[in-house]
Amino acid sequence: MTPMLTSARKTELIGFVIVAAVILLLLPAVTDAFRLNLVGKYLTYAFVAVGLVLCWGSAGILSLGQGIFFGLGGYCMAMFLKLEASTPEATSIQSTPGIPDFMDWNQITALPWFWEPFHSFGFTLVAVVVVPAILAFIIGFAMFTRRVGGVYFAIITQAIAAILTILIIGQQGYTGGVNGITDLRTLLGWDIRTDSAKTILYFVNAFLLLAVIALSMAVRSSKLGRILVALRDKEDRVRFSGYDVAAFKIFVFCFAAAISGIGGAMFTLQVGFMSPSFVGIVPSIEMVIFCAVGGRHSLIGAVYGTLLVNWAKTSFSESFPELWLFAMGALFIAVVMAFPNGLAGLYTSHVQPLFKRFGRKSAGRSAASGTETPAIAE
Amino acid sequence: MTTNNDFLLSVEGLTVSFDGFKAVDDLSFYVDPNEIHVIIGPNGAGKTTALDLICGKTRATSGSIRFRGKELTEMKEHQIVHAGVGRKFQNPSIYEDLTVFENLEISFPRGRSVFGALAFKRDKEVRERVAEIAEMIFLEDHLEERAEYLSHGQKQWLEIGMLLIQNPELLMLDEPVAGMSVSERVKTAELLNRIIQGRAVIVIEHDMKFVEDIAHKVTVLHQGKVLSEGSMTHVKSDPKVVEVYLGH
């Protein structure tokens, strides 16, 4: 590590402190329990957006299928919660008590083998991270060792997202089908549907998100982070400098998948169900938009981008539900055309110079406090 | 067939065919340790393709490339680099978004695996080596600059530096002085003369003055085949070479 802190690194650390303050103090202070739960739901998408900053922003690998990994993490958690909610006593009216209700409706009489391990909470916690990472490894290995990249990779990930959705919907008896896994009640006996539980889960989610951002910052500032930037720019040069490029791409893709899985699991816990509508093409593209609006090179920007777009989505689709998809399409085009580095780019090009000028003018006085302005580090 | 282990690099019967067109056709040549071997030839003679084949960028249709007794045609690109072969591309190929320091640091031969890169520490050894190379390539005052702001000549130097820091046994340079100003060219010739000591080098170059200055051995390629081989004086007086190349 460099002994001196570069200014970009310092800005990033300040940005981290501010985003922590916004998530942990500001938002809980100004919102009621219902809205806070909504914000908590938005923040679960920020895990995916942070993963995309590494995968797409740093390494230039655009995945249009991150919903796959978000969904897998979410389903792992949902399977555990569903089994806990399906005790023989609670399901005594079923023809086969003790299995999830949707299985009973589909004439399934025994718990499928792949559901069995989800009786264990420890296994579930591991699976939330490992299952998405394993699938990402398989996809990454198949694509990157064959040098499939760019648009082709994006299209293939999108196709996989579509396939997974169809699979989940088609295998209704094993997955709950289009309704997903619903009616989740308790986590190790603790009722997750109460307001107080939701508030606690919000903070658990917030701390996990901050931990993931901190971990991502560490990855980005390691040599591996610089190699990712290098291979985005000149893949061949990296290869002929003695690096196995495919291994690095697979790593970052798996890393992004694993943290998306955490986001998915936190989504299930806070929202109380999981369904294929969070897995497919539309949510996957939405997640890319969150990342693009925040700025695909900024980990902190990804959080603000996610919050902003979701807040807009909620307010907008309350009044004009059918127009939202068009509005989002327009937003994506606007971001790509007008401000390709998103909010973070606007911050570095417009807001930061103002601070610097102000700082020079008022030398001696303390610099402007930036609590109200989201400071977004590059 | 002899193993030719006395040579550092032995290329034998190398052929690559793109949809029937043979860019390199039954090419054989040998490079001794510490030899500076220049490949010349008109455009489309297969010079760059020959380097692509050696470093693994292009896969040979047939033939063999042996480097210190190891068959390179079966190895992956990064393994060929680990074996000790470094390649400079024709257009300066550097990482524009990173600083000069970071460009050199990435090329430093340590922490090349995923987890090695995660655990990599910028210690004294790295900093000293980067500083040493930066001085050699005239960029010691530009270490913190983003590489995209360097001049064309400086970018060429940086890429040469990125190879040097790996300390390869065989260095392959594709037109190292192309597109440089006169003063840059002089400096580069001086730099190359310094760095090619103690290692084998294959150079592709059009600048005949430069070739005469450095070459131990010259191979003239024409339509993917060896037209003539030997010292510069020998090659220059070969009527076949005069016919297709120097005479024009």
Side-chain angles (χ1 to χ4, degrees), chain A residues 22-210:
Chain A
V22 168
I23 297 176
L24 295 175
L25 305 171
L26 182 68
L27 289 172
V30 299
T31 50
D32 55 41
F34 171 73
R35 290 276 162 189
L36 190 66
N37 179 240
L38 212 55
V39 172
K41 183 179 105 179
Y42 301 163
L43 286 177
T44 62
Y45 298 128
F47 286 85
V48 186
V50 165
L52 277 166
V53 168
L54 283 162
C55 201
W56 180 34
S58 288
I61 304 163
L62 174 59
S63 161
L64 293 178
Q66 292 305 91
I68 300 168
F69 309 118
F70 182 82
L72 284 176
Y75 266 97
C76 286
M77 184 54 80
M79 284 160 84
F80 172 78
L81 297 176
K82 189 68 189 169
L83 286 180
E84 191 176 307
S86 310
T87 54
E89 302 79 60
T91 54
S92 55
I93 54 159
Q94 290 175 187
S95 42
T96 317
I99 63 170
D101 47 11
F102 61 83
M103 291 185 185
D104 197 57
W105 304 333
N106 286 281
Q107 283 83 46
I108 284 173
T109 53
L111 196 65
W113 61 268
F114 64 89
W115 273 75
E116 288 292 350
F118 288 94
H119 280 295
S120 152
F121 187 56
F123 175 87
T124 304
L125 289 185
V126 173
V128 158
V129 177
V130 170
V131 170
I134 289 175
L135 182 63
F137 181 84
I138 295 169
I139 298 172
F141 188 82
M143 298 295 122
F144 298 135
T145 52
R146 285 180 179 76
R147 314 250 163 107
V148 176
V151 176
Y152 302 99
F153 183 77
I155 292 171
I156 287 167
T157 50
Q158 193 165 67
I160 295 169
I163 292 168
L164 191 65
T165 319
I166 294 166
L167 192 73
I168 292 172
I169 294 173
Q171 298 301 311
Q172 196 171 335
Y174 299 113
T175 62
V178 74
N179 297 321
I181 299 177
T182 56
D183 199 17
L184 308 174
R185 295 164 198 172
T186 56
L187 173 73
L188 301 172
W190 174 52
D191 195 334
I192 56 170
R193 292 164 300 177
T194 62
D195 276 353
S196 70
K198 282 182 175 170
T199 308
I200 291 170
L201 284 171
Y202 172 87
F203 283 103
V204 171
N205 183 49
F207 277 113
L208 279 173
L209 178 62
L210 292 171

Side-chain angles (χ1 to χ4, degrees), chain A residues 253-291:
Chain A
F253 191 51
C254 290
F255 185 84
I259 62 179
S260 303
I262 302 175
M266 288 313 297
F267 178 93
T268 303
L269 282 171
Q270 292 184 88
V271 180
F273 75 102
M274 189 71 212
S275 89
S277 58
F278 306 105
V279 176
I281 291 175
V282 173
S284 295
I285 292 178
E286 277 184 333
M287 290 163 189
V288 172
I289 295 175
F290 304 157
C291 174

Side-chain angles (χ1 to χ4, degrees), chain A residues 1-2 147 219 222-224 226-227 229-230 232-234 236-244 247-248 251, chain B residues 55 57 77-78 81-82 87 89 93-98 102 105-106 110-112 114 117 120 122 159 166:
Chain A
M1 292 295 112
T2 20
R147 314 250 163 107
V219 169
S222 72
K223 190 175 88 161
L224 185 134
R226 293 189 288 279
I227 290 170
V229 173
R232 175 186 73 200
D233 193 13
K234 293 272 172 11
D236 261 348
R237 182 69 269 170
V238 178
R239 193 170 281 135
F240 292 110
S241 296
Y243 294 101
D244 185 359
F248 284 85
F251 170 81
Chain B
C55 74
K57 190 169 187 233
E77 292 95 327
H78 67 273
V81 176
H82 293 188
R87 162 85 189 268
F89 292 94
S93 182
I94 53 160
Y95 315 126
E96 311 241 319
D97 289 337
L98 299 177
E102 289 168 338
E105 183 191 46
I106 284 188
R110 196 177 74 200
R112 277 163 160 174
V114 169
F120 181 88
R122 187 178 289 178
E159 198 186 357
Q166 294 173 19

Side-chain angles (χ1 to χ4, degrees), chain B residues 46-64:
Chain B
K47 304 178 299 274
T48 300
T49 311
L51 293 197
D52 284 349
L53 286 163
I54 296 169
C55 74
K57 190 169 187 233
T58 307
R59 292 284 152 190
T61 313
S62 64
S64 97

